[in-house]
Amino acid sequence: MDLNNRPFPDRAGTAVEERFWLRSWTRETYLWNTEVADQNPANFTSRTAYFAVLKTNAVTPSGKEKDDFHFSESTVAYQQRQNSAPRATFGADLIALSTRPPRDYRVGYTEPQSPAAAITGGQANLVRGTRLLRVNGIDLVNANSQSEIDQLNAGLFPAAAGINTTFVVRDPGASSDRTITMTSISLSPSPVNRTRIINTPTGKVGYILFNTFSPFESERAIVQAITELRINSVTDLVLDLRYNGGGLLAVSSQLAYMIAGTNRAAGKSFSKLRFNQGAGSLNPVTGGANNPTPFYSQTLGFTLTSGTDLPALNLSRVFILSTADTCSASEAVINGLRGIDLEVNLIGSKTCGKPYGFYPQDNCGETYYTIQFQTTNDKSFGDYADGFLPNNSSTQFGVRMPGCEVADDLTRELGDPNEALLAAALQFRVNGTCPVQPAGEAAAKMVRQSVSGLPLELPARSLMETNFDMTMPVDRSGTR
Amino acid sequence: MRSKSHRCALMTAVVLGSAACQTTAQVSVRAALLLDDNQRAIKAIQSTLEAVLKQGRVSLGPSDLTRDSVITVLPPPPGPYEGNSPAMPRYFELVTDGKLCFLRERGARELHALAGVNCRAQ
């Protein structure tokens, strides 16, 4: 029995049989199966070594690997993450601008109701942009022994709730340091971190910081957020997906519907999955018909009772805030709305470029990930492997679209109309112009990585947080 | 109602080796509601679904089966790298022929008898 109490459906075979199974599975389900050189499984000594060659070696127009999502892990590890309970945390998302000395770790955002967001002495413990300097007395910036690195990791990422940790921090724009002590709690990150109604001379603008499509809770959270905006009669929406790595395509379809409304979305496909040519009209993984995903106009039952009509803003345009962490189902929202000619404006930087997906497959205790489908929109477009980018970007490759290239701004809170990406969206909304990019702190992401000294790595996020994919290294320096 | 369901389940178990009673016979059924939303009925529904879906454990989405006949079976949660997850719930409906209570998957004809569950036509 596996961790989910399901009996294993297969029976044990030899190691070479397992490699033959990988060969057959690749031929049947891999998206680019005709680009895989056929190699004799018997010539390999391990299943992972053989699996590593069962992929295309083609590159995208920018030169990056067409398939850089090909990997496996133990099924136990996979299922443990699937079943993970809320984790112990202080509730601060960290951004590593430099993982090696002199290290630079900042707070990207804090979770609602978390120790990080708690008010102590009239001040939030941590705010966006706060730099971490010392953890339990260890110099985070300069420490360079493995023992110190281990202590920093233990302090930053507590193993359990109830652990007290002392931090020395410096807030953005401050000239002195602060010392705070926080106690870890068990917490699941909120899919919708915050919503705002921004009053402007040209009408109310809604703002939603939506950080993940992954947990089932994302359905309820985004419906509640859209409902709030609808009650407030917003006439435009700024959707902040800058840290949203994706998750459930069904929820991204619901979100797209709630933006566009029935008149624009009815009868259209939000996404269509493109499998390898041999699959014909079938999904080669499930064996079922490969039907398009509509713009779901009702609740689906993930966390809201199924069959209830969704609220809709009925907008003709949307402003999406993006970084290289904007991936997968987030990009599907962009592509799906463009597929029905809704005006999508992109403010920020190039998205990660992942129009692909897979069904994780267990075999003999190893779970394999191989690209099996490409998501396309109602116009059958899905070629954005080099990402979406604003029209004025200096980057050569990617799918250009209206908007402004703006560096992520760690000096102001998310949802603050003066935060660089949001401010740019509000300006672009009014007159179609882009701001001149400010220098200084807003360009903090440009800090160069040191190349010497021990790295302090951010651990991969858990399932219940933003989904990551293999294009994003654990060290996220410079990616935001 | 309960005794007939038990008999049906027993017969099927003998024939098919399954605890869930399945029939494709032309039985006229209507959407149904639970008489009361007690844990025993929900457990019986879950057990039947586990047998039907051949899963050791199923998780149900939110519902009030005393007011709505749709039962949502949640998919496994997306894994950590599934940024484009096509996972969707599966939908079953609580139905009755006036005597017995059954589960029927949306779009399918097979009826799966529920043992120990009391329901009424919607």
Side-chain angles (χ1 to χ4, degrees):
Chain A
M1 303 292 271
D2 66 13
L3 287 181
N4 293 316
N5 202 30
R6 289 184 294 240
F8 289 111
D10 47 6
R11 60 183 175 81
T14 65
V16 73
E17 284 174 332
E18 190 177 344
R19 296 196 289 276
F20 270 102
W21 175 86
L22 284 168
R23 177 172 177 261
S24 300
W25 178 63
T26 300
R27 285 187 168 190
E28 289 172 10
T29 72
Y30 186 55
L31 177 60
W32 302 291
N33 56 354
T34 59
E35 299 176 28
V36 178
D38 192 17
Q39 302 188 56
N40 187 347
N43 294 339
F44 290 78
T45 55
S46 79
R47 57 187 181 180
T48 52
Y50 183 59
F51 179 66
V53 303
L54 294 176
K55 64 186 283 287
T56 180
N57 292 315
V59 296
T60 69
S62 71
K64 83 172 186 180
E65 284 185 87
K66 185 161 76 172
D67 182 356
D68 55 359
F69 312 101
H70 193 78
F71 60 102
S72 69
E73 63 179 340
S74 79
T75 299
V76 168
Y78 168 68
Q79 292 182 336
Q80 281 174 340
R81 277 201 288 269
Q82 270 195 316
N83 297 327
S84 64
R87 69 180 176 89
T89 179
F90 300 108
D93 176 82
L94 299 181
I95 295 175
L97 299 176
S98 176
T99 61
R100 296 175 191 271
R103 296 184 190 87
D104 192 347
Y105 274 66
R106 310 287 181 101
V107 174
Y109 58 87
T110 59
E111 288 292 334
Q113 314 299 323
S114 69
I119 305 295
T120 304
Q123 183 172 13
N125 277 330
L126 297 173
V127 298
R128 176 171 166 82
T130 297
R131 185 176 182 185
L132 306 186
L133 301 174
R134 303 185 79 87
V135 179
N136 287 336
I138 306 294
D139 182 351
L140 184 149
V141 177
N142 299 301
N144 206 24
S145 72
Q146 191 57 53
S147 168
E148 290 172 313
I149 296 292
D150 292 344
Q151 292 178 70
L152 285 170
N153 269 317
L156 287 170
F157 311 110
I163 294 177
N164 291 325
T165 303
T166 299
F167 298 85
V168 176
V169 301
R170 180 171 294 193
D171 294 323
S175 55
S176 60
D177 302 340
R178 288 189 296 129
T179 299
I180 57 171
T181 298
M182 295 189 291
T183 305
S184 60
I185 63 171
S186 285
L187 184 71
S188 293
S190 303
V192 172
N193 184 283
R194 65 195 71 176
T195 59
R196 297 284 185 271
I197 308 294
I198 302 168
N199 290 304
T200 78
T202 52
K204 291 181 180 178
V205 178
Y207 168 88
I208 300 174
L209 174 59
F210 191 28
N211 286 338
T212 175
F213 291 90
S214 247
F216 297 147
E217 176 60 24
S218 61
E219 179 186 48
R220 173 167 35 210
I222 195 61
V223 170
Q224 286 178 344
I226 294 289
T227 300
E228 179 185 343
L229 268 51
R230 184 173 162 78
I231 289 171
N232 281 277
S233 303
V234 302
T235 55
D236 269 312
L237 170 64
V238 178
L239 182 60
D240 195 340
L241 300 177
R242 75 181 79 185
Y243 304 137
N244 191 323
L248 293 163
L249 280 170
V251 177
S252 65
S253 166
Q254 291 177 302
L255 171 57
Y257 168 80
M258 290 189 284
I259 294 169
T262 300
N263 288 345
R264 292 183 177 82
K268 304 288 180 63
S269 296
F270 170 71
S271 71
K272 295 179 278 190
L273 302 187
R274 180 183 294 158
F275 292 92
N276 66 49
Q277 288 193 340
S281 60
L282 296 178
N283 177 326
V285 181
T286 67
N290 179 24
N291 296 321
T293 299
F295 284 81
Y296 288 119
S297 61
Q298 292 189 322
T299 52
L300 293 171
F302 288 111
T303 40
L304 295 171
T305 304
S306 66
T308 302
D309 288 344
L310 294 172
L313 298 175
N314 302 308
L315 302 175
S316 61
R317 63 180 182 178
V318 65
F319 302 83
I320 291 180
L321 309 186
S322 66
T323 68
D325 284 354
T326 305
C327 276
S328 303
S330 287
E331 294 174 298
V333 172
I334 297 170
N335 197 45
L337 290 173
R338 284 165 60 88
I340 57 171
D341 295 322
L342 190 138
E343 179 187 322
V344 182
N345 303 288
L346 195 67
I347 311 292
S349 50
K350 189 168 80 165
T351 65
C352 86
K354 190 185 174 192
Y356 309 118
F358 37 60
Y359 297 76
Q361 175 65 54
D362 164 52
N363 197 53
C364 300
E366 188 78 357
T367 293
Y368 298 94
Y369 302 79
T370 198
I371 295 293
Q372 291 160 322
F373 61 82
Q374 178 177 14
T375 61
T376 65
N377 63 18
D378 195 66
K379 298 179 188 294
S380 299
F381 176 78
D383 293 327
Y384 52 89
D386 281 321
F388 292 102
L389 74 168
N391 268 335
N392 69 342
S393 171
S394 58
T395 305
Q396 185 176 358
F397 297 99
V399 177
R400 292 184 181 277
M401 50 192 290
C404 304
E405 185 167 63
V406 182
D408 201 3
D409 175 7
L410 292 174
T411 67
R412 295 182 188 276
E413 273 295 343
L414 299 169
D416 179 340
N418 293 313
E419 185 274 322
L421 268 65
L422 179 50
L426 295 173
Q427 175 179 330
F428 193 77
R429 167 184 173 269
V430 171
N431 57 22
T433 65
C434 297
V436 176
Q437 183 71 356
E441 190 77 14
K445 61 176 288 189
M446 301 306 291
V447 171
R448 290 189 178 278
Q449 272 270 42
S450 303
V451 293
S452 60
L454 289 174
L456 173 63
E457 308 283 13
L458 289 171
R461 291 175 172 181
S462 71
L463 163 70
M464 299 308 289
E465 296 178 83
T466 303
N467 257 319
F468 274 75
D469 59 52
M470 299 308 285
T471 58
M472 289 190 276
V474 172
D475 166 14
R476 290 180 284 152
S477 332
T479 62
R480 287 183 170 181
Chain B
M1 186 177 292
R2 188 177 303 161
S3 61
K4 289 183 179 177
S5 296
H6 278 157
R7 189 164 65 241
C8 182
L10 181 62
M11 289 168 59
T12 305
V14 171
V15 176
L16 301 177
S18 165
C21 180
Q22 176 179 314
T23 176
T24 55
Q26 294 296 316
V27 179
S28 177
V29 294
R30 297 168 60 191
L33 302 174
L34 289 182
L35 295 183
D36 56 287
D37 197 4
N38 60 58
Q39 283 303 307
R40 195 167 56 91
I42 299 299
K43 187 65 187 168
I45 290 170
Q46 280 187 303
S47 298
T48 301
L49 288 168
E50 287 163 2
V52 169
L53 300 174
K54 298 182 175 61
Q55 293 183 7
R57 184 180 62 204
V58 299
S59 298
L60 303 183
S63 64
D64 179 356
L65 293 174
T66 63
R67 303 175 64 180
D68 185 50
S69 62
V70 176
I71 297 163
T72 305
V73 179
L74 295 172
Y81 305 116
E82 294 176 78
N84 275 323
S85 170
M88 278 287 290
R90 292 174 71 167
Y91 303 101
F92 287 78
E93 189 178 24
L94 183 66
V95 296
T96 181
D97 61 359
K99 297 176 182 175
L100 300 174
C101 307
F102 302 89
L103 294 178
R104 180 174 64 185
E105 186 163 18
R106 185 176 289 175
R109 293 175 55 205
E110 292 84 2
L111 299 174
H112 309 280
L114 286 167
V117 173
N118 298 316
C119 66
R120 63 178 173 84
Q122 190 171 7

